Amino acid sequence: MIPTPHIEAKNKNEIAKTVLMPGDPLRAKFIADTFLEDVKQFNGVRNVLGYTGTYKGRRISVMASGMGMPSIGIYSYELYKFYDVENIIRIGSCGGYTPDVKLYDVILAKDAWSESSYAKVQGGYESDTIEGTPELNQRLVKYANELGIPMHIERIHSSDVFYRQNFEEYKEIYNKYGCVAVEMEAFSLFHNAKVLGKKAACLLTVSDNLETKEETTSEERQNAFTNMMKIALEMAE
């Protein structure tokens, strides 16, 4: 079923087997413009930009996911199911729950804990925790070490809600479940990979910290999170 309702590529070969997925379409464009050669745009539906090019002579794609689990749930499912994509690496921003993760630190999500009903509704999955694909995580750790980029390997919180009425709830989530940071997409991405027999990973850069109250600007989030990009780009095949 291609093109799909949300991706206009008419040929599976327009998209590489590995796709990097930032949330922001402009971050996808930044990665394509800055790091890739021989770039071709394969998607512009709803301005969710997608590009395929080469990195160090190897093929890779980058496509935005939008914000939240329903959004990345749609795009990742279509990429996996209908375009034969094998690996999706989310590269996004997150908010730190502890002073141990500082602005611009890179976090590799070992697994994601969530209150979301996404996995239960989509496929009957009952657990509140889903791990990323160990094989991809091992490769990302290797690339980070080779590049000399420090990286935390931790559990993260995937939330459906950005503006919580009880702001202080993050403290309980950190203490009870061991989540060091919060984002809004990884849980559904990991679930889609699990049900479709594919692979998924999530690299995050700390954009703000709920404990220390430090934060970055939207422009910095769009353009300055290059360490996680460089790690993920080594996945090109």
Side-chain angles (χ1 to χ4, degrees):
M1 186 183 79
I2 57 171
T4 64
H6 308 96
I7 303 173
E8 62 189 341
K10 295 180 175 63
N11 189 314
K12 294 179 182 181
N13 293 331
E14 293 180 52
I15 304 175
K17 295 298 183 185
T18 296
V19 177
L20 309 187
M21 290 202 89
D24 184 352
L26 293 181
R27 196 180 298 159
K29 185 177 188 303
F30 172 82
I31 293 168
D33 290 346
T34 306
F35 296 105
L36 302 187
E37 297 180 338
D38 302 320
V39 176
K40 293 183 179 178
Q41 183 175 328
F42 65 79
N43 196 59
V45 176
R46 294 174 179 246
N47 282 330
V48 175
L49 303 175
Y51 305 89
T52 298
T54 60
Y55 181 72
K56 298 182 178 179
R58 294 170 287 150
R59 200 160 180 260
I60 197 164
S61 294
V62 55
M63 178 179 166
S65 71
M67 290 189 290
M69 284 182 257
S71 186
I72 196 172
I74 290 169
Y75 293 114
S76 62
Y77 192 94
E78 291 184 4
L79 289 169
Y80 283 141
K81 179 73 173 179
F82 303 112
Y83 287 96
D84 295 341
V85 169
E86 291 295 325
N87 311 304
I88 296 178
I89 297 95
R90 164 161 157 70
I91 45 175
S93 58
C94 66
Y97 279 173
T98 165
D100 294 337
V101 292
K102 306 183 187 312
L103 291 191
Y104 298 110
D105 278 4
V106 177
I107 298 173
L108 174 63
K110 176 182 63 178
D111 53 22
W113 175 86
S114 184
E115 320 94 321
S116 173
S117 63
Y118 180 92
K120 183 176 181 179
V121 173
Q122 198 283 332
Y125 185 80
E126 295 287 348
S127 176
D128 58 11
T129 306
I130 307 177
E131 69 174 359
T133 306
E135 176 190 332
L136 291 193
N137 285 352
Q138 291 166 9
R139 290 174 64 184
L140 291 167
V141 169
K142 174 177 177 286
Y143 298 142
N145 289 337
E146 290 174 354
L147 292 167
I149 298 172
M151 189 165 65
H152 304 271
I153 305 168
E154 300 283 355
R155 172 172 292 175
I156 60 165
H157 174 203
S158 292
S159 177
D160 276 334
V161 178
F162 190 87
Y163 296 107
R164 287 177 180 255
Q165 287 297 96
N166 180 9
F167 175 79
E168 298 294 319
E169 196 172 4
Y170 77 88
K171 296 179 180 179
E172 179 183 350
I173 293 169
Y174 169 66
N175 290 323
K176 187 174 181 179
Y177 300 103
C179 303
V180 303
V182 60
E183 54 85 69
M184 302 187 73
E185 288 84 22
F187 184 80
S188 59
L189 172 63
F190 291 173
H191 172 74
N192 281 353
K194 185 180 183 72
V195 298
L196 293 171
K198 304 288 187 168
K199 301 181 181 70
C202 177
L203 279 173
L204 302 168
T205 299
V206 179
S207 62
D208 59 286
N209 191 294
L210 281 69
E211 274 284 284
T212 66
K213 315 303 182 191
E214 296 175 295
E215 59 184 11
T216 58
T217 67
S218 59
E219 184 177 359
E220 287 170 333
R221 289 193 292 275
Q222 180 182 314
N223 297 327
F225 291 179
T226 53
N227 276 345
M228 70 175 172
M229 297 173 188
K230 290 175 182 176
I231 297 167
L233 283 162
E234 292 296 328
M235 295 292 297
E237 297 175 336

